[in-house]
Amino acid sequence: FYLLAEDYAEALRYARAYGRQSGQCEPLYEVGLAAEIAGALETAREAYQELIRAYASCPASEKAIPHYLTVESLLERPQKALARIDSLIQRQGPRPALLIEKARWLLRTGQASAVIPLLDSLQPPTTGLLAQKYFLMADAALYAGDPIQSRLYLLEVESRLPESTYLSMAYFKLAELAFFQGEFELAKTRLRLLKNNTQDELSNDAIELYWLILDNLKPDTLTAPLALLARALLWERQGNLSSALSLCDTLEREWKGHPVSDDVFWLRARIALARGDTMTARRYLQLLADYPDTESLYRDDALYHLARLARSETEAARYYERLLREVPNSLYARIAREALSTLAR
């Protein structure tokens, strides 16, 4: 039903639940492929990632790997993805699912001001698409510098969809809003309650934010560096990369050795990759790969991207081998094994 209604996020939720109950992986592949074709690239990536990570022996997992890499490539080039969505709208008309996806990519390309006029009068056919509408409008308001309006849009989800499975995401976004405003204890409390009281799986973003706060808000550390990082991350979201980098400069200069350092390196690497500056990206990814703190959240991300940016097959193999050795449970482990098998031929 949800695939027919083009509510790919809800279809993914059901495919995950079915997979846990039955051990069958094919619905995840079907959702990923349908979402990819329809331009719902974030949902497609989640479906393929789940399939590759949790169902390594499933035949569909093999088929998912090239699709996953294609989707990752598109996600790294947001203007191309937005052009693809516009092309689909021209051919198929302004269907709610396509407008939702266009709004998502408008945000990614720094066009937040166009999102609320695009979605305000939209009447989605499912609760899932309705929730996504308000989430995107909340992000657009936040990017425009209006956190109060952002909070009101999130509360619309609670008001209109009180029994919805999307409440946990609304609560996470409220925690994220508190984080961006420097209210770290409030953000941490909301995330803790969400983690302890919901059976829904937290998104990767929620888990990462929870541990980012815990890692950088220890009893013997100051909050000022985390406040600067929160502002830099918000500017990255808004597409204001120059300002984000300026704050990174401040953090590296004035707070060297603070636990926030690996988060700064990862932010710098992401921005460099977004700008196509592979030399700078490699430098910061290497710092993360060799980061002395074994608890750093980004070691496997760094090793995976270094392998993709490698100048030779020998260099790529070295990074993939490190990834498998140092972070054996990484989401990238299956891809690393496949890549090493291909390189060995």
Side-chain angles (χ1 to χ4, degrees):
F1 167 78
Y2 287 107
L3 284 181
L4 291 175
E6 299 181 318
D7 188 346
Y8 301 106
E10 193 69 6
L12 174 58
R13 192 175 72 83
Y14 276 91
R16 281 172 164 160
Y18 179 77
R20 285 193 295 268
Q21 292 175 357
S22 68
Q24 299 296 311
C25 69
E26 286 77 8
L28 280 170
Y29 179 75
E30 292 173 8
V31 170
L33 188 60
E36 180 186 353
I37 292 170
L41 301 180
E42 295 280 3
T43 303
R45 175 168 64 179
E46 287 186 43
Y48 292 142
Q49 282 180 337
E50 179 89 5
L51 180 56
I52 293 166
R53 179 184 61 81
Y55 302 93
S57 61
C58 173
S61 181
E62 299 284 344
K63 296 189 295 182
I65 289 174
H67 288 282
Y68 170 68
L69 295 175
T70 298
V71 168
E72 284 283 17
S73 177
L74 278 171
L75 287 170
E76 291 172 3
R77 293 176 288 171
Q79 290 290 354
K80 184 172 182 179
L82 182 57
R84 177 175 174 177
I85 298 296
D86 281 333
S87 177
L88 287 170
I89 291 173
Q90 288 176 1
R91 294 200 308 268
Q92 301 175 15
R95 305 205 315 266
L98 290 176
L99 294 179
I100 291 285
E101 290 306 319
K102 178 169 183 175
R104 203 183 311 281
W105 288 99
L106 286 170
L107 285 174
R108 289 179 68 107
T109 54
Q111 302 176 68
S113 61
V115 170
I116 293 175
L118 178 70
L119 298 182
D120 196 32
S121 61
L122 184 66
Q123 298 295 324
T126 68
T127 58
L129 290 175
L130 181 62
Q132 291 177 60
K133 165 188 169 176
Y134 284 113
F135 291 152
L136 289 165
M137 292 171 74
D139 286 344
L142 176 63
Y143 296 176
D146 191 348
I148 295 175
Q149 184 61 58
S150 178
R151 184 173 183 272
L152 290 174
Y153 283 133
L154 293 173
L155 293 176
E156 282 287 331
V157 177
E158 184 178 28
S159 172
R160 291 175 178 244
L161 306 171
E163 305 299 326
S164 166
T165 57
Y166 287 89
L167 277 180
S168 58
M169 180 56 70
Y171 294 153
F172 162 66
K173 283 187 165 292
L174 286 166
E176 189 179 49
L177 182 60
F179 170 75
F180 285 136
Q181 293 183 284
E183 299 173 329
F184 303 123
E185 289 299 333
L186 175 59
K188 198 165 65 168
T189 298
R190 282 176 169 165
L191 287 167
R192 188 186 299 116
L193 290 172
L194 177 63
K195 185 176 181 181
N196 292 340
N197 294 325
T198 181
Q199 295 185 6
D200 292 339
E201 293 183 6
L202 287 175
S203 68
N204 288 334
D205 288 343
I207 295 170
E208 288 176 6
L209 179 60
Y210 183 75
W211 288 109
L212 184 151
I213 295 172
L214 287 184
D215 189 45
N216 293 301
L217 204 62
K218 297 174 182 176
D220 58 343
T221 57
L222 298 173
T223 61
L226 184 56
L228 290 174
L229 177 66
R231 196 185 314 162
L233 291 172
L234 178 56
W235 277 341
E236 182 201 19
R237 287 270 196 96
Q238 294 170 329
N240 190 352
L241 302 185
S242 297
S243 294
L245 286 175
S246 178
L247 283 180
C248 288
D249 291 339
T250 300
L251 284 163
E252 286 196 70
R253 183 176 63 251
E254 299 182 10
W255 300 97
K256 189 174 183 179
H258 188 277
V260 82
S261 296
D262 61 334
D263 302 291
V264 173
F265 293 161
W266 180 229
L267 176 55
R268 281 192 178 278
R270 289 202 308 271
I271 291 175
L273 288 171
R275 290 178 161 180
D277 184 356
T278 57
M279 184 177 297
T280 299
R282 284 170 59 92
R283 182 166 76 252
Y284 284 102
L285 289 169
Q286 192 66 56
L287 287 170
L288 284 169
D290 301 331
Y291 199 72
D293 183 359
T294 57
E295 297 301 316
S296 174
L297 299 174
Y298 310 115
R299 188 181 302 275
D300 61 335
D301 292 293
L303 291 168
Y304 170 71
H305 284 287
L306 283 167
R308 292 190 66 186
L309 295 173
R311 299 186 179 96
S312 69
E313 292 184 354
T314 301
E315 183 183 10
R318 185 167 68 248
Y319 286 122
Y320 282 131
E321 287 166 356
R322 278 192 62 186
L323 192 157
L324 292 173
R325 183 173 62 252
E326 297 176 20
V327 200
N329 295 323
S330 167
L331 174 66
Y332 303 113
R334 177 60 185 270
I335 296 174
R337 284 192 290 268
E338 292 287 340
L340 285 171
S341 176
T342 301
L343 292 171
R345 291 172 187 165

